[in-house]
Amino acid sequence: MNQKYSAINYALYLLSKRDYSEKELRHKLALKEYEDQEIEQAVEKAKENGWQSDERFCAGYIRYRARQGIGALRLKQELRLKGIADWQIEDELDKAEIDWYELAETVFEKKRPSRWDLKAKQKMWRFMISRGFERDQFYDLLKVDYDE
């Protein structure tokens, strides 16, 4: 197919805007209907020159999503979908030095309803789980009686 830009140039354009995982970059290039060989060459050149790094993408994504109040479990799931290997996710989560308990408490306090009853506790439980926090990171917050 006749393209305006080569796959390498398009990959460089994409990576100049933000970091992409290798899987995302391959997908973006495939959407532009580049040949498989061109995609492979573009991705390899991007990796060789340090333009694309799954490690850098993973670290940045973890920092970005943690600032949005997303827990480790959900981060792992999202990064797997973006093509990051499990060992790399675990490694980057360890390097991030995020206090997941403190983050869970911050998110919990932002969302906690003014009326605190059984229904509110169940709603908060579902919310915290959906945000990717583990039970032990927020369970003690549910036991506090805020109505006193």
Side-chain angles (χ1 to χ4, degrees), residues 52-98:
Q52 191 281 327
S53 165
D54 278 349
E55 183 179 333
R56 186 177 59 232
F57 169 78
C58 187
Y61 192 82
I62 288 169
R63 282 191 311 273
Y64 169 69
R65 295 293 279 162
R67 280 194 304 265
Q68 292 180 330
I70 301 300
L73 294 176
R74 184 156 160 198
L75 277 169
K76 288 177 190 178
Q77 180 185 19
E78 289 177 1
L79 287 166
R80 279 186 202 116
L81 291 174
K82 292 180 179 295
I84 306 298
D86 286 340
W87 65 268
Q88 199 166 24
I89 295 170
E90 292 297 332
D91 189 42
E92 292 301 324
L93 282 171
D94 291 342
K95 286 181 192 175
E97 297 180 0
I98 296 170

Side-chain angles (χ1 to χ4, degrees), residues 8 14 17 34 37 56 70 80 83 94 104-105 136 139:
I8 294 170
L14 290 172
K17 302 294 182 194
Y34 287 106
Q37 183 180 0
R56 186 177 59 232
I70 301 300
R80 279 186 202 116
D94 291 342
E105 185 175 357
D136 65 325
Y139 185 69

